[in-house]
Coordinates of all heavy atoms in Angstrom, one line a residue:
D810 N 2.4 -36.1 -5.8 CA 2.6 -36.8 -4.5 C 3.9 -37.5 -4.6 O 4.6 -37.6 -3.6 CB 1.4 -37.8 -4.3 CG 0.1 -37.1 -4.0 OD1 0.2 -35.9 -3.8 OD2 -0.9 -37.8 -3.9
E811 N 4.1 -38.1 -5.7 CA 5.3 -39.0 -5.8 C 6.6 -38.1 -5.7 O 7.5 -38.4 -5.0 CB 5.3 -39.6 -7.2 CG 6.4 -40.6 -7.4 CD 6.3 -41.0 -8.9 OE1 5.3 -41.4 -9.3 OE2 7.4 -40.9 -9.5
S812 N 6.6 -37.0 -6.4 CA 7.8 -36.2 -6.3 C 8.0 -35.6 -4.9 O 9.1 -35.4 -4.5 CB 7.8 -35.1 -7.4 OG 6.9 -34.1 -7.1
W813 N 6.9 -35.4 -4.3 CA 7.0 -34.9 -2.9 C 7.6 -35.9 -2.0 O 8.5 -35.6 -1.2 CB 5.6 -34.5 -2.4 CG 5.4 -34.1 -1.0 CD1 5.8 -32.9 -0.5 CD2 5.0 -34.9 0.1 NE1 5.5 -32.9 0.9 CE2 5.0 -34.1 1.3 CE3 4.5 -36.2 0.2 CZ2 4.6 -34.6 2.5 CZ3 4.1 -36.7 1.4 CH2 4.2 -35.9 2.6
L814 N 7.2 -37.2 -2.2 CA 7.7 -38.3 -1.4 C 9.2 -38.5 -1.7 O 10.0 -38.7 -0.8 CB 6.9 -39.5 -1.7 CG 7.0 -40.6 -0.6 CD1 6.4 -40.1 0.7 CD2 6.1 -41.8 -1.1
R815 N 9.5 -38.4 -3.0 CA 10.8 -38.6 -3.4 C 11.8 -37.6 -2.8 O 12.9 -37.9 -2.3 CB 10.9 -38.6 -4.9 CG 12.0 -39.3 -5.5 CD 12.0 -39.1 -7.0 NE 10.9 -39.7 -7.7 CZ 10.8 -41.0 -8.0 NH1 11.7 -41.8 -7.7 NH2 9.7 -41.4 -8.6
N816 N 11.3 -36.3 -2.8 CA 12.1 -35.3 -2.3 C 12.4 -35.5 -0.8 O 13.5 -35.3 -0.3 CB 11.5 -33.9 -2.4 CG 11.6 -33.5 -3.9 OD1 12.4 -34.0 -4.6 ND2 10.7 -32.5 -4.3
L817 N 11.3 -35.9 -0.1 CA 11.4 -36.2 1.4 C 12.5 -37.3 1.6 O 13.3 -37.2 2.5 CB 10.1 -36.7 1.9 CG 9.1 -35.6 2.4 CD1 7.9 -36.3 3.1 CD2 9.8 -34.7 3.4
A818 N 12.4 -38.3 0.8 CA 13.3 -39.5 0.9 C 14.7 -39.0 0.7 O 15.6 -39.4 1.4 CB 12.9 -40.6 0.0
E819 N 14.9 -38.2 -0.4 CA 16.2 -37.8 -0.7 C 16.8 -36.9 0.4 O 18.0 -37.0 0.8 CB 16.2 -37.0 -2.0 CG 16.4 -37.9 -3.2 CD 16.3 -37.2 -4.5 OE1 16.3 -35.9 -4.5 OE2 16.1 -37.9 -5.5
E820 N 16.0 -36.0 1.0 CA 16.4 -35.2 2.1 C 16.9 -36.1 3.3 O 17.8 -35.8 4.0 CB 15.3 -34.2 2.5 CG 15.3 -33.0 1.7 CD 14.1 -32.1 2.0 OE1 13.6 -32.2 3.1 OE2 13.7 -31.4 1.1
A821 N 16.1 -37.1 3.5 CA 16.4 -38.0 4.7 C 17.5 -39.0 4.3 O 17.8 -39.9 5.1 CB 15.1 -38.7 5.1
E822 N 18.0 -39.0 3.1 CA 19.0 -39.9 2.5 C 18.5 -41.3 2.6 O 19.2 -42.2 3.1 CB 20.3 -39.7 3.3 CG 20.9 -38.3 3.0 CD 22.3 -38.2 3.6 OE1 22.7 -39.0 4.3 OE2 22.9 -37.1 3.3
L823 N 17.2 -41.5 2.3 CA 16.6 -42.9 2.3 C 16.5 -43.3 0.9 O 16.3 -42.5 0.0 CB 15.2 -42.8 3.0 CG 15.2 -42.5 4.5 CD1 13.8 -42.3 5.0 CD2 15.9 -43.6 5.3
E824 N 16.5 -44.6 0.7 CA 16.4 -45.2 -0.6 C 15.0 -45.7 -0.7 O 14.5 -46.4 0.2 CB 17.4 -46.2 -0.9 CG 17.5 -46.5 -2.4 CD 18.7 -47.5 -2.6 OE1 19.7 -47.4 -1.9 OE2 18.6 -48.3 -3.6
L825 N 14.3 -45.4 -1.8 CA 12.9 -45.9 -1.9 C 13.0 -47.3 -2.5 O 13.5 -47.5 -3.6 CB 12.1 -45.0 -2.9 CG 11.8 -43.6 -2.3 CD1 11.1 -42.8 -3.4 CD2 10.9 -43.7 -1.1
T826 N 12.4 -48.3 -1.8 CA 12.4 -49.6 -2.4 C 11.0 -50.1 -2.6 O 10.8 -51.2 -3.1 CB 13.1 -50.6 -1.4 OG1 12.4 -50.5 -0.1 CG2 14.6 -50.3 -1.2
S827 N 10.0 -49.3 -2.3 CA 8.7 -49.8 -2.5 C 8.3 -49.6 -3.9 O 9.1 -49.4 -4.8 CB 7.7 -48.9 -1.6 OG 7.7 -47.6 -2.2
D828 N 7.0 -49.7 -4.2 CA 6.6 -49.5 -5.6 C 6.8 -48.1 -6.1 O 6.5 -47.8 -7.2 CB 5.1 -50.0 -5.8 CG 4.2 -49.1 -5.0 OD1 4.6 -48.3 -4.1 OD2 3.0 -49.1 -5.3
L829 N 7.2 -47.2 -5.2 CA 7.5 -45.9 -5.7 C 8.9 -45.8 -6.3 O 9.2 -44.8 -6.9 CB 7.5 -44.9 -4.5 CG 6.1 -44.4 -4.1 CD1 6.1 -43.7 -2.8 CD2 5.5 -43.6 -5.3
D830 N 9.7 -46.9 -6.2 CA 10.9 -46.9 -6.9 C 10.7 -47.5 -8.2 O 10.5 -48.7 -8.4 CB 11.9 -47.7 -6.1 CG 13.3 -47.6 -6.7 OD1 13.4 -47.3 -7.9 OD2 14.3 -47.9 -6.0
P831 N 10.8 -46.7 -9.3 CA 10.5 -47.2 -10.6 C 11.4 -48.3 -11.1 O 11.0 -49.3 -11.7 CB 10.6 -46.0 -11.5 CG 11.5 -45.0 -10.7 CD 11.2 -45.3 -9.3
D832 N 12.7 -48.2 -10.7 CA 13.7 -49.1 -11.2 C 13.4 -50.5 -10.6 O 13.5 -51.5 -11.2 CB 15.1 -48.7 -10.8 CG 15.3 -47.3 -11.3 OD1 14.7 -47.0 -12.4 OD2 16.0 -46.5 -10.7
N833 N 13.0 -50.4 -9.3 CA 12.7 -51.7 -8.6 C 11.5 -52.4 -9.2 O 11.6 -53.6 -9.5 CB 12.3 -51.3 -7.2 CG 13.0 -52.2 -6.2 OD1 13.9 -52.9 -6.5 ND2 12.5 -52.3 -5.0
E834 N 10.5 -51.7 -9.5 CA 9.3 -52.3 -10.0 C 9.4 -52.8 -11.4 O 9.0 -53.8 -11.8 CB 8.1 -51.3 -10.0 CG 7.6 -51.1 -8.6 CD 6.9 -52.3 -8.0 OE1 6.1 -53.0 -8.7 OE2 7.3 -52.7 -6.9
L835 N 10.0 -51.9 -12.2 CA 10.0 -52.2 -13.6 C 11.3 -52.9 -14.1 O 11.4 -53.5 -15.1 CB 9.8 -51.0 -14.5 CG 8.5 -50.3 -14.1 CD1 8.4 -48.9 -14.7 CD2 7.3 -51.1 -14.6
G836 N 12.3 -52.7 -13.2 CA 13.6 -53.3 -13.4 C 14.2 -52.9 -14.7 O 15.0 -53.6 -15.4

Side-chain angles (χ1 to χ4, degrees):
D810 289 351
E811 185 188 309
S812 69
W813 175 77
L814 201 61
R815 205 184 294 281
N816 286 343
L817 272 187
E819 271 176 15
E820 273 171 29
E822 296 185 354
L823 293 172
E824 197 171 328
L825 292 175
T826 53
S827 70
D828 67 341
L829 277 170
D830 186 341
D832 305 329
N833 225 16
E834 283 295 310
L835 303 167

